[in-house]
Amino acid sequence: MRGSRECCTKYVFTDIYANGYVYRVIIETLSALAEPNRLQIVELLRIGPSPVAEICARVPLGQPQLSKHLRVLRNAGLVHVQPRGQQRFYALRATPLRELDQWLDRFRNIWGARFDQLDELLLEMQKGKIK
C-alpha cells in the first residue's frame, strides 16, 4: 500500500509541480472559485476591468461583503487592483486560470479516450453487434 502512495505522490509532484507552487495555486484558485458570489465576480470581470461600485451593483451583496470576496480573489491571485483617481478598478488575472487549465488538460486526455470508447460501443450497438 505504501509503495503505491509514494508512486502517486511522485507522479503528482513532477516538473509542473516543482516546490508545490502550481499545486498551491490550483488549490487556491479552486477554493476561491467554489463560492458562487466570487465566481459571479470573476464572470463579470471576464468582460474587462470594473470599478467596485459597478461590481457591487451587479452582485447582490453589500459593499463590506463584496470587499471581503474581492480580497479573497486578490489573495488567490485571480484579480488585481488598479487605482484610478478615487476609484479602484478590479481586473482579472489570467495566470492562475491558465495554470488551472494546464492541470485540467491532463484529465481531458483521459476523458477523450473514454468518449472515444463510448463512441465505438454506440456504433457497435447501432450495427446490432451488441444488444
Side-chain angles (χ1 to χ4, degrees):
M1 185 70 127
R2 182 181 170 138
S4 65
R5 184 171 182 214
E6 287 175 1
C7 174
C8 294
T9 304
K10 185 177 179 183
Y11 173 73
V12 171
F13 292 101
T14 54
D15 298 327
I16 192 169
Y17 294 95
N19 299 322
Y21 169 74
V22 175
Y23 181 71
R24 182 180 53 78
V25 169
I26 290 167
I27 298 265
E28 289 176 0
T29 301
L30 290 174
S31 295
L33 294 175
E35 204 284 327
N37 291 308
R38 291 194 288 264
L39 184 59
Q40 184 178 2
I41 293 167
V42 167
E43 284 292 323
L44 289 171
L45 295 176
R46 195 172 50 89
I47 300 165
S50 293
V52 174
E54 186 178 320
I55 297 169
C56 200
R58 300 177 123 204
V59 178
L61 295 172
Q63 200 279 328
Q65 292 85 11
L66 179 69
S67 292
K68 289 178 184 179
H69 287 300
L70 288 170
R71 186 178 320 116
V72 171
L73 291 170
R74 192 174 65 240
N75 290 342
L78 287 163
V79 299
H80 67 279
V81 185
Q82 301 170 338
R84 293 185 194 165
Q86 297 278 331
Q87 292 184 320
R88 301 263 184 246
F89 280 74
Y90 279 82
L92 201 56
R93 289 188 68 241
T95 304
L97 296 171
R98 212 175 290 125
E99 290 173 348
L100 178 60
D101 183 57
Q102 289 173 348
W103 180 74
L104 288 170
D105 193 47
R106 298 178 351 180
F107 298 95
R108 284 186 194 103
N109 295 334
I110 294 169
W111 283 107
R114 300 248 168 107
F115 283 129
D116 289 343
Q117 291 173 350
L118 180 60
D119 286 343
E120 290 173 16
L121 178 64
L122 291 173
L123 285 173
E124 288 179 19
M125 289 174 72
Q126 284 178 345
K127 292 177 183 177
K129 293 181 180 179
I130 299 175
K131 292 185 180 187

PDB file of all heavy atoms in Angstrom, residues 10-23:
ATOM      1  N   LYS A  10       4.871  10.863  -6.101  1.00  0.00           N
ATOM      2  CA  LYS A  10       5.940  11.191  -7.038  1.00  0.00           C
ATOM      3  C   LYS A  10       5.348  11.690  -8.348  1.00  0.00           C
ATOM      4  O   LYS A  10       5.832  12.640  -8.947  1.00  0.00           O
ATOM      5  CB  LYS A  10       6.814   9.954  -7.287  1.00  0.00           C
ATOM      6  CG  LYS A  10       8.004  10.247  -8.157  1.00  0.00           C
ATOM      7  CD  LYS A  10       8.866   9.013  -8.303  1.00  0.00           C
ATOM      8  CE  LYS A  10      10.043   9.299  -9.207  1.00  0.00           C
ATOM      9  NZ  LYS A  10      10.862   8.115  -9.434  1.00  0.00           N
ATOM     10  N   TYR A  11       4.268  11.085  -8.801  1.00  0.00           N
ATOM     11  CA  TYR A  11       3.624  11.489 -10.049  1.00  0.00           C
ATOM     12  C   TYR A  11       3.047  12.896  -9.941  1.00  0.00           C
ATOM     13  O   TYR A  11       3.203  13.706 -10.822  1.00  0.00           O
ATOM     14  CB  TYR A  11       2.521  10.501 -10.425  1.00  0.00           C
ATOM     15  CG  TYR A  11       1.714  10.947 -11.613  1.00  0.00           C
ATOM     16  CD1 TYR A  11       2.251  10.900 -12.882  1.00  0.00           C
ATOM     17  CD2 TYR A  11       0.434  11.445 -11.466  1.00  0.00           C
ATOM     18  CE1 TYR A  11       1.532  11.330 -13.982  1.00  0.00           C
ATOM     19  CE2 TYR A  11      -0.299  11.875 -12.548  1.00  0.00           C
ATOM     20  CZ  TYR A  11       0.252  11.804 -13.804  1.00  0.00           C
ATOM     21  OH  TYR A  11      -0.457  12.239 -14.891  1.00  0.00           O
ATOM     22  N   VAL A  12       2.401  13.181  -8.822  1.00  0.00           N
ATOM     23  CA  VAL A  12       1.751  14.471  -8.648  1.00  0.00           C
ATOM     24  C   VAL A  12       2.763  15.601  -8.632  1.00  0.00           C
ATOM     25  O   VAL A  12       2.541  16.656  -9.183  1.00  0.00           O
ATOM     26  CB  VAL A  12       0.900  14.484  -7.358  1.00  0.00           C
ATOM     27  CG1 VAL A  12       0.403  15.872  -7.036  1.00  0.00           C
ATOM     28  CG2 VAL A  12      -0.280  13.538  -7.506  1.00  0.00           C
ATOM     29  N   PHE A  13       3.901  15.402  -8.005  1.00  0.00           N
ATOM     30  CA  PHE A  13       4.872  16.479  -7.874  1.00  0.00           C
ATOM     31  C   PHE A  13       6.008  16.341  -8.888  1.00  0.00           C
ATOM     32  O   PHE A  13       7.165  16.438  -8.562  1.00  0.00           O
ATOM     33  CB  PHE A  13       5.424  16.533  -6.441  1.00  0.00           C
ATOM     34  CG  PHE A  13       4.396  16.960  -5.453  1.00  0.00           C
ATOM     35  CD1 PHE A  13       3.754  16.033  -4.656  1.00  0.00           C
ATOM     36  CD2 PHE A  13       4.038  18.282  -5.354  1.00  0.00           C
ATOM     37  CE1 PHE A  13       2.778  16.426  -3.763  1.00  0.00           C
ATOM     38  CE2 PHE A  13       3.079  18.684  -4.461  1.00  0.00           C
ATOM     39  CZ  PHE A  13       2.441  17.760  -3.667  1.00  0.00           C
ATOM     40  N   THR A  14       5.664  16.154 -10.142  1.00  0.00           N
ATOM     41  CA  THR A  14       6.669  16.141 -11.198  1.00  0.00           C
ATOM     42  C   THR A  14       6.935  17.572 -11.632  1.00  0.00           C
ATOM     43  O   THR A  14       6.521  18.518 -10.978  1.00  0.00           O
ATOM     44  CB  THR A  14       6.203  15.271 -12.387  1.00  0.00           C
ATOM     45  OG1 THR A  14       4.931  15.719 -12.797  1.00  0.00           O
ATOM     46  CG2 THR A  14       6.157  13.811 -12.014  1.00  0.00           C
ATOM     47  N   ASP A  15       7.568  17.755 -12.773  1.00  0.00           N
ATOM     48  CA  ASP A  15       8.045  19.054 -13.233  1.00  0.00           C
ATOM     49  C   ASP A  15       7.086  20.215 -12.988  1.00  0.00           C
ATOM     50  O   ASP A  15       7.479  21.236 -12.457  1.00  0.00           O
ATOM     51  CB  ASP A  15       8.345  18.994 -14.737  1.00  0.00           C
ATOM     52  CG  ASP A  15       9.432  17.990 -15.056  1.00  0.00           C
ATOM     53  OD1 ASP A  15      10.329  17.820 -14.214  1.00  0.00           O
ATOM     54  OD2 ASP A  15       9.366  17.379 -16.124  1.00  0.00           O
ATOM     55  N   ILE A  16       5.838  20.074 -13.399  1.00  0.00           N
ATOM     56  CA  ILE A  16       4.891  21.179 -13.288  1.00  0.00           C
ATOM     57  C   ILE A  16       4.615  21.544 -11.835  1.00  0.00           C
ATOM     58  O   ILE A  16       4.224  22.657 -11.523  1.00  0.00           O
ATOM     59  CB  ILE A  16       3.583  20.870 -14.038  1.00  0.00           C
ATOM     60  CG1 ILE A  16       2.735  22.124 -14.163  1.00  0.00           C
ATOM     61  CG2 ILE A  16       2.819  19.748 -13.393  1.00  0.00           C
ATOM     62  CD1 ILE A  16       1.576  21.980 -15.111  1.00  0.00           C
ATOM     63  N   TYR A  17       4.865  20.641 -10.904  1.00  0.00           N
ATOM     64  CA  TYR A  17       4.563  20.865  -9.504  1.00  0.00           C
ATOM     65  C   TYR A  17       5.804  21.151  -8.668  1.00  0.00           C
ATOM     66  O   TYR A  17       5.830  20.906  -7.479  1.00  0.00           O
ATOM     67  CB  TYR A  17       3.813  19.665  -8.922  1.00  0.00           C
ATOM     68  CG  TYR A  17       2.465  19.519  -9.561  1.00  0.00           C
ATOM     69  CD1 TYR A  17       2.268  18.673 -10.635  1.00  0.00           C
ATOM     70  CD2 TYR A  17       1.399  20.275  -9.116  1.00  0.00           C
ATOM     71  CE1 TYR A  17       1.037  18.570 -11.237  1.00  0.00           C
ATOM     72  CE2 TYR A  17       0.161  20.178  -9.717  1.00  0.00           C
ATOM     73  CZ  TYR A  17      -0.003  19.319 -10.771  1.00  0.00           C
ATOM     74  OH  TYR A  17      -1.227  19.222 -11.366  1.00  0.00           O
ATOM     75  N   ALA A  18       6.845  21.667  -9.284  1.00  0.00           N
ATOM     76  CA  ALA A  18       8.080  21.939  -8.559  1.00  0.00           C
ATOM     77  C   ALA A  18       7.794  22.804  -7.332  1.00  0.00           C
ATOM     78  O   ALA A  18       7.119  23.817  -7.419  1.00  0.00           O
ATOM     79  CB  ALA A  18       9.083  22.624  -9.475  1.00  0.00           C
ATOM     80  N   ASN A  19       8.283  22.353  -6.194  1.00  0.00           N
ATOM     81  CA  ASN A  19       8.127  23.050  -4.908  1.00  0.00           C
ATOM     82  C   ASN A  19       6.677  23.259  -4.509  1.00  0.00           C
ATOM     83  O   ASN A  19       6.380  24.112  -3.687  1.00  0.00           O
ATOM     84  CB  ASN A  19       8.858  24.397  -4.933  1.00  0.00           C
ATOM     85  CG  ASN A  19      10.333  24.225  -5.168  1.00  0.00           C
ATOM     86  OD1 ASN A  19      10.940  23.292  -4.661  1.00  0.00           O
ATOM     87  ND2 ASN A  19      10.915  25.103  -5.954  1.00  0.00           N
ATOM     88  N   GLY A  20       5.760  22.540  -5.086  1.00  0.00           N
ATOM     89  CA  GLY A  20       4.362  22.654  -4.711  1.00  0.00           C
ATOM     90  C   GLY A  20       3.698  23.943  -5.157  1.00  0.00           C
ATOM     91  O   GLY A  20       2.554  24.199  -4.827  1.00  0.00           O
ATOM     92  N   TYR A  21       4.393  24.783  -5.932  1.00  0.00           N
ATOM     93  CA  TYR A  21       3.841  26.086  -6.324  1.00  0.00           C
ATOM     94  C   TYR A  21       2.545  25.953  -7.100  1.00  0.00           C
ATOM     95  O   TYR A  21       1.530  26.521  -6.720  1.00  0.00           O
ATOM     96  CB  TYR A  21       4.862  26.882  -7.145  1.00  0.00           C
ATOM     97  CG  TYR A  21       4.256  28.100  -7.787  1.00  0.00           C
ATOM     98  CD1 TYR A  21       3.952  29.224  -7.023  1.00  0.00           C
ATOM     99  CD2 TYR A  21       3.944  28.117  -9.144  1.00  0.00           C
ATOM    100  CE1 TYR A  21       3.362  30.334  -7.583  1.00  0.00           C
ATOM    101  CE2 TYR A  21       3.358  29.228  -9.714  1.00  0.00           C
ATOM    102  CZ  TYR A  21       3.073  30.335  -8.938  1.00  0.00           C
ATOM    103  OH  TYR A  21       2.478  31.422  -9.499  1.00  0.00           O
ATOM    104  N   VAL A  22       2.565  25.203  -8.184  1.00  0.00           N
ATOM    105  CA  VAL A  22       1.373  25.087  -9.021  1.00  0.00           C
ATOM    106  C   VAL A  22       0.266  24.372  -8.258  1.00  0.00           C
ATOM    107  O   VAL A  22      -0.900  24.741  -8.355  1.00  0.00           O
ATOM    108  CB  VAL A  22       1.692  24.384 -10.357  1.00  0.00           C
ATOM    109  CG1 VAL A  22       0.437  24.163 -11.168  1.00  0.00           C
ATOM    110  CG2 VAL A  22       2.683  25.221 -11.151  1.00  0.00           C
ATOM    111  N   TYR A  23       0.624  23.392  -7.466  1.00  0.00           N
ATOM    112  CA  TYR A  23      -0.362  22.677  -6.645  1.00  0.00           C
ATOM    113  C   TYR A  23      -1.088  23.664  -5.731  1.00  0.00           C
ATOM    114  O   TYR A  23      -2.301  23.669  -5.632  1.00  0.00           O
ATOM    115  CB  TYR A  23       0.346  21.587  -5.850  1.00  0.00           C
ATOM    116  CG  TYR A  23      -0.561  20.770  -4.976  1.00  0.00           C
ATOM    117  CD1 TYR A  23      -1.458  19.870  -5.541  1.00  0.00           C
ATOM    118  CD2 TYR A  23      -0.524  20.890  -3.597  1.00  0.00           C
ATOM    119  CE1 TYR A  23      -2.298  19.113  -4.743  1.00  0.00           C
ATOM    120  CE2 TYR A  23      -1.355  20.146  -2.799  1.00  0.00           C
ATOM    121  CZ  TYR A  23      -2.239  19.256  -3.377  1.00  0.00           C
ATOM    122  OH  TYR A  23      -3.066  18.508  -2.590  1.00  0.00           O
TER     123      TYR A  23
END
